[in-house]
Amino acid sequence: MFNRKHLEAILITRTELRLPRTTPEAVGIRSTAIAALLDAWKESGLELHSMMILRHGQVAAEGWWAPYAPELSHMLFSLSKSFTSSAIGLAAAEGLLSLDDAVISFFPEVAPEEPSANLSAMRVRHLLMMGTGHEEDTMGPLSSAEDGDWVRAFLQVPVGREPGTHFVYNSGATYMLSAILQKVSGVKLLDYLRPRLLDPLGITEGTWESCPRGIHTGGWGLMLTTESIAKFGQLYLQRGVWEGKRILSEEWVNEATSKQIHNGDDEANDWTQGYGYQFWRCRNGAYRGDGAFGQFCIVLPEKDTVIALTSGTNDMQGVLNGIWTHLLPALTEDVTADPAAHEALSDKLGSLTLEPPVLDAASPLESEVSGSRYVLDENQFQWTALSVQFESQEAVVTLENCEGEFVLRCGRGEWAEGRGVLLQGAPFQRGANHRMASSFTWRDSETLSITLRYIETPFYVTSELKFNGDELTAQQQVNVAFFSPELPSLHGRRS
C-alpha cells in the first residue's frame, strides 16, 4: 500500500541539488492567495498532479496530489519542445549550426532531388517558430512512414506557404530540430543536453522517447520531475545564468521567449499571444513551455516568478485562468508575515490527494467469482484471459496474453502500488515499466470498478467489470486523450 510519509519524502541525497525553500510571505506572496488558487482548481474539477511556485529564486509553495509524489518523473508531452529549443540555442552558440541554415542542407541524402522553392527556403529558425509553411502538423506522415525514416517523410510533405509567414503547431518540426542536433553533434538530444544544461542544474533523472531510427522525438517524450521543470524555468528567468555560471546566452533567452510569429488575436486566450522558439507567449507579460493535459513551466519575468505544474486535464486554459485570477494579484513585495495563514496552507499542501473512488466496499458476488478464469474474446489489447482473486484488503487481477501474465494488485478503497506496461490502444507509450496506483470498489452488486493510475503520466483508466452468470463484460475509459476516451470493451466467459 502507499505510505503517505514515503510519498512525501523527496529522495534526494545531495541536498545542494535542491532549490532553496522559503515561506510565501517571505517572498511577497500571501498564503491565502495560494490556498484560494488550490480551492479554485478543485472547484473547477481540474486534476492537478503537482505544483511548485518559485519567487526570487526560492520555492515558496509546493504540493503533490497523492499518489503522485516529488520523486516521480512525469510525462511532459510538448513541454519537451522548450528543452529541444534550448539544445538548438546551445548548438548555435558552439558554432555547430546557424538558425539561418537551410533545413535540407543537413540531409542531402534524403532530400528531394528537386525541392520546392518553399522547402528550399525553410530555415532552422522556421522550425523553431512553427512557421515552416506547412498547412498542418506533419506528424501524420512521419508516424505512418513504413521505413521509419521520419526525416525523409518530413522533407516529402508539401510546403504550401512561404516559410515564416504562417503559424501551424507542428511537432514534426520539433522532431527535425532533434534530428539536426543529432546530425551536427553526433549524439542524441538528451545526451547533448546532459553535460551542457541538465548536469549544471542538478537534473539527474530524465528519459526521452525515440523514433524508429533512434532519434529522440524532440517535440514530446521527455520525462522529468516537477522540481526539474522549475529549475529549467528559473534558468530562463535568470536569463541563462545558473549559480553565477552562464549556461545559455542572454541573447538566446530573449529571442527564444519573444514573439517570433503571430498566432491569433483572441485577447482572452493564452494560445494566441504569439509564439517564440518553442515557447508560448502568455497574457500578463509571461511566457511558458507547455504540454498536453496540463504540463506547464510558466515564467513571469515582471514578477520574478516561476510556476511548474503537472496535471491530467483537458482544460489547460482553466489552469492558467486560476493563476491569473488568484495568484498573479498576490505577487507583491509588501506582505506581512501571517503564521496562521501559512500553517493553514502548509496543512492544505500536505494533505493534497486524489482519493480513489469508494462506492460499495464489497459485494456478495466476490466469493462466487473470486479465482474464476474468464477466457476473453479476441481483442486489440491481445489479452486472452482474466481472473480476479479477492482478499481482505485488495483484489488481485491477473491478465494473460501470449507473453505470460500481468498481475495487478488493487487496494480496497485505497491505492496500492505497482508497476506494469501500459494498455495497448491507450494514448501513451507502451512497453515501459511504469509506476501505477490501483484501487477497486463496487458500483453495484454485479459491477466491479477498477481505477488504474499511471502516476508518471497524466492518464488513468477506469475499468467496469460486469459479471452476469458465466459472462463477463469490461468497459474501459481513459480520463484524457487525443481521441475518444472510450476504449474498446472486452467480453469473456468463465471457463
Side-chain angles (χ1 to χ4, degrees), residues 73-77 80 150 190 206-212 214-217 220-224 293 381 383 406 419-436 452-461 478 480-483 487:
S73 295
H74 202 281
M75 279 186 178
L76 302 190
F77 284 91
S80 309
W150 289 9
L190 186 60
T207 59
W208 212 313
E209 292 181 42
S210 299
C211 78
I215 300 170
H216 287 159
T217 50
W220 71 97
L222 179 61
M223 294 184 67
L224 292 174
F293 315 122
F381 304 121
W383 298 118
F406 169 59
R419 281 185 176 273
V421 297
L422 302 173
L423 291 176
Q424 186 179 36
F428 31 73
Q429 181 187 10
R430 291 197 72 228
N433 190 25
H434 285 281
R435 290 278 295 270
M436 301 183 300
L452 172 56
R453 286 189 174 273
Y454 295 97
I455 55 177
E456 295 169 311
T457 84
F459 305 109
Y460 70 85
V461 175
V478 66
V480 290
F482 295 111
F483 47 83
L487 299 176

Side-chain angles (χ1 to χ4, degrees), residues 29-339:
I29 310 174
R30 297 190 308 276
S31 291
T32 53
I34 299 174
L37 173 61
L38 296 173
D39 291 340
W41 281 336
K42 183 176 181 179
E43 291 168 5
S44 299
L46 301 173
E47 180 176 302
L48 275 292
H49 295 165
S50 70
M51 177 198 74
M52 186 173 282
I53 300 173
L54 279 67
R55 189 132 201 254
H56 305 329
Q58 301 178 78
V59 178
E62 58 187 316
W64 283 260
W65 282 255
Y68 302 85
E71 69 271 18
L72 297 181
S73 295
H74 202 281
M75 279 186 178
L76 302 190
F77 284 91
S78 288
L79 176 50
S80 309
K81 289 179 168 69
S82 301
F83 288 83
T84 302
S85 168
S86 302
I88 297 299
L90 290 165
E94 292 179 2
L96 296 179
L97 55 79
S98 164
L99 302 195
D100 292 317
D101 287 340
V103 173
I104 59 173
S105 70
F106 296 98
F107 307 104
E109 68 280 4
V110 294
E113 292 185 5
E114 297 183 4
S116 68
N118 286 341
L119 178 58
S120 298
M122 190 189 302
R123 301 294 188 256
V124 172
R125 71 174 66 252
H126 298 137
L127 299 174
L128 286 163
M129 70 171 67
M130 299 295 189
T132 58
H134 292 107
E135 298 287 354
E136 59 185 20
D137 192 344
T138 57
M139 276 312 304
L142 269 62
S143 59
S144 62
E146 293 184 1
D147 62 356
D149 191 339
W150 289 9
V151 170
R152 182 193 299 273
F154 180 91
L155 298 177
Q156 296 295 329
V157 177
V159 184
R161 304 200 187 204
E162 179 185 352
T165 64
H166 179 64
F167 174 85
V168 167
Y169 193 70
N170 187 349
S171 292
T174 318
Y175 168 78
M176 290 298 290
L177 293 172
S178 176
I180 290 170
L181 187 282
Q182 184 166 327
K183 189 73 175 287
V184 300
S185 70
V187 296
K188 295 182 179 182
L189 175 58
L190 186 60
D191 296 328
Y192 181 82
L193 282 173
R194 183 77 65 191
R196 295 167 175 83
L197 187 145
L198 302 185
D199 287 347
L201 270 59
I203 298 175
T204 58
E205 78 285 2
T207 59
W208 212 313
E209 292 181 42
S210 299
C211 78
R213 298 265 176 130
I215 300 170
H216 287 159
T217 50
W220 71 97
L222 179 61
M223 294 184 67
L224 292 174
T225 64
T226 308
E227 183 150 359
S228 293
I229 298 170
K231 289 177 178 179
F232 179 72
Q234 187 66 27
L235 172 67
Y236 268 82
L237 179 64
Q238 294 169 179
R239 298 184 178 277
V241 174
W242 190 262
E243 296 182 344
K245 179 181 177 182
R246 180 157 294 285
I247 307 299
L248 297 165
S249 74
E250 186 170 2
E251 294 76 15
W252 170 263
V253 171
N254 291 337
E255 193 171 348
T257 61
S258 298
K259 180 178 177 179
Q260 296 294 333
I261 192 169
H262 181 75
N263 65 351
D265 297 301
D266 186 351
E267 295 182 357
N269 186 340
D270 280 293
W271 279 261
T272 58
Q273 306 302 309
Y275 196 76
Y277 291 159
Q278 310 286 292
F279 286 90
W280 297 88
R281 292 296 306 176
C282 304
R283 294 176 289 169
N284 304 302
Y287 61 85
R288 72 186 188 279
D290 75 31
F293 315 122
Q295 324 317 314
F296 286 107
C297 180
I298 306 163
V299 181
L300 293 85
E302 298 171 9
K303 299 294 185 179
D304 199 23
T305 298
V306 172
I307 305 163
L309 304 169
T310 61
S311 316
T313 179
N314 284 316
D315 186 7
M316 293 172 65
Q317 184 65 69
V319 174
L320 293 176
N321 288 345
I323 292 171
W324 307 146
T325 300
H326 297 282
L327 183 62
L328 181 64
L331 300 175
T332 66
E333 295 301 336
D334 186 17
V335 175
T336 302
D338 190 342

Side-chain angles (χ1 to χ4, degrees), residues 11-33:
L11 302 180
I12 300 175
T13 57
R14 294 176 59 196
T15 57
E16 68 270 19
L17 298 182
R18 297 182 66 205
L19 291 162
R21 265 61 177 177
T22 188
T23 64
E25 282 76 15
V27 288
I29 310 174
R30 297 190 308 276
S31 291
T32 53

Side-chain angles (χ1 to χ4, degrees), residues 387-416:
S387 64
V388 185
Q389 180 73 43
F390 290 97
E391 300 176 1
S392 61
Q393 295 301 317
E394 63 182 13
V396 182
V397 181
T398 301
L399 284 160
E400 303 173 28
N401 63 16
C402 61
E403 298 177 358
E405 294 184 347
F406 169 59
V407 178
L408 173 66
R409 311 190 80 89
C410 305
R412 190 184 293 272
E414 60 183 5
W415 297 117

